[in-house]
Amino acid sequence: MSLASTDKPIDKNIKDVVNEIEAQSPNLSVLAARQLRYSLRQTPVEVNIKEPRQFNVLEEFIIRAAIELQPPPTENELASILALDSVFIKTTTATLRSLQTLSATSPITVTPEGRSFYEKGFVPQPPYPVQLNAISDPLGNEITFQFESLNDTIVNFPDLADFINLDCRIIDISSLPLEQIQKSIQDSGLALHLPEEGKIVTSCKVVASTQKIWQKISLFVIFDAIEDKFSIQIRSGKKILESASNLLEVLYAEGKISLETLCELSTETISLECEAILKQKNLK
């Protein structure tokens, strides 16, 4: 018996996507399609950003003098050279010391960090806070950052977590090392961590409780008559979620999920349907 002569387990609300898939190639047939939901985890966080600014003329001169003059000068000696009141020099060196550009000792000594910034023409500033949302996606097994928060909506579909253990794939933002957070912020396309420009994320802390955000997805079981094999595809709207699709295929190959449970599609039914499609296309 072939599903071609009966009703395939296909949700009518995504029939247009099924038609698109099959229209892409005469070799593709959708055996089953259904809508599910799964939850992201949204955690409000605060990151601190350390960003440099350009040196002013006096700051640049003080650091240059500390690097080039031997022995390094004191504040009073620099004031004498520049014919300035020593108060101006001491105020500026105090600012540079607070930014770890100059050491706390006298004569004036440039720190390694200060020398690095001087070569780039910038001086560091005190870190400032930025509010972000960390989004943990168990299907993509990734964490991303964004400024805006996701809106929670009611999605009345079966939960994918009822069929697959997704809890173990949820990333806890508070457990991540700073280096991984910095990389994730870069990968998220936020211009907040740009080491080549001296703009650095220096810390990250959770500022509110984590919230579940439900997402609607569609699952498709697709048979390729040329390859004589079927695949599992997950989509959000019409966008294919590659990581999620690969995950389900791996879990199916390892016998950790059942298509009969996921979409009422038994092994026997799949076999009969695939054989019927092959015969119909004169490929067997």
Side-chain angles (χ1 to χ4, degrees), residues 13-269:
N13 293 311
I14 49 175
K15 181 63 177 175
D16 59 331
V17 182
V18 171
N19 292 337
E20 274 190 25
I21 293 172
E22 294 183 335
Q24 289 173 3
S25 171
N27 303 315
L28 301 181
S29 298
V30 178
L31 305 184
R34 72 176 304 189
Q35 296 182 96
L36 297 162
R37 67 173 181 164
Y38 82 107
S39 60
L40 304 173
R41 299 296 192 276
Q42 177 172 267
T43 305
V45 300
E46 180 181 278
V47 298
N48 278 317
I49 311 295
K50 192 173 184 180
E51 186 174 11
R53 61 169 171 79
Q54 287 188 322
F55 286 105
N56 63 42
V57 174
L58 186 54
E59 289 170 336
E60 186 174 5
F61 183 87
I62 289 173
I63 291 179
R64 181 178 177 183
I67 291 174
E68 296 182 356
L69 295 181
Q70 294 298 327
T74 64
E75 281 93 341
N76 289 334
E77 288 171 339
L78 272 182
S80 177
I81 293 171
L82 296 174
L84 290 174
D85 190 315
S86 63
V87 171
F88 292 110
I89 301 297
K90 291 177 180 178
T91 299
T92 303
T93 55
T95 297
L96 293 174
R97 285 190 173 103
S98 71
L99 298 173
Q100 287 77 51
T101 304
L102 297 181
S103 67
T105 60
S106 185
I108 301 168
T109 305
V110 180
T111 64
E113 183 180 18
R115 185 180 292 268
S116 175
F117 276 104
Y118 175 74
E119 291 171 353
K120 298 173 183 176
F122 293 97
V123 63
Q125 298 185 90
Y128 60 90
V130 174
Q131 306 296 315
L132 295 176
N133 289 284
I135 311 297
S136 177
D137 183 349
L139 275 184
N141 195 29
E142 64 179 359
I143 193 162
T144 56
F145 290 83
Q146 58 187 51
F147 292 109
E148 67 280 2
S149 60
L150 297 173
N151 293 322
D152 191 24
T153 57
I154 298 175
V155 182
N156 294 318
F157 294 131
D159 188 354
L160 182 61
D162 292 338
F163 310 101
I164 303 171
N165 178 17
L166 294 177
D167 287 344
C168 62
R169 296 174 61 84
I170 296 171
I171 301 173
D172 179 8
I173 178 66
S174 63
S175 68
L176 293 180
L178 180 60
E179 293 78 11
Q180 189 170 343
I181 290 172
Q182 291 170 335
K183 184 178 186 305
S184 294
I185 288 176
Q186 279 185 303
D187 293 343
S188 299
L190 305 182
L192 296 177
H193 185 71
L194 303 169
E196 66 281 0
E197 298 179 14
K199 191 173 184 179
I200 305 293
V201 172
T202 60
S203 66
C204 176
K205 67 177 180 179
V206 174
V207 294
S209 58
T210 298
Q211 180 185 12
K212 275 188 177 183
I213 304 293
W214 291 104
Q215 300 288 297
K216 180 172 66 175
I217 56 173
S218 300
L219 180 147
F220 302 88
V221 180
I222 305 171
F223 179 65
D224 187 325
I226 293 293
E227 299 288 338
D228 193 10
K229 68 177 184 180
F230 70 90
S231 60
I232 302 172
Q233 189 179 95
I234 298 291
R235 294 191 179 206
S236 175
K238 295 186 178 181
K239 180 184 177 182
I240 299 173
L241 304 182
E242 297 288 354
S243 296
S245 301
N246 293 337
L247 170 64
L248 262 64
E249 289 208 341
V250 169
L251 293 176
Y252 179 77
E254 294 175 349
K256 295 180 179 177
I257 58 173
S258 163
L259 291 182
E260 187 168 8
T261 303
L262 271 176
C263 48
E264 287 76 45
L265 203 58
S266 67
T267 303
E268 181 183 6
T269 302

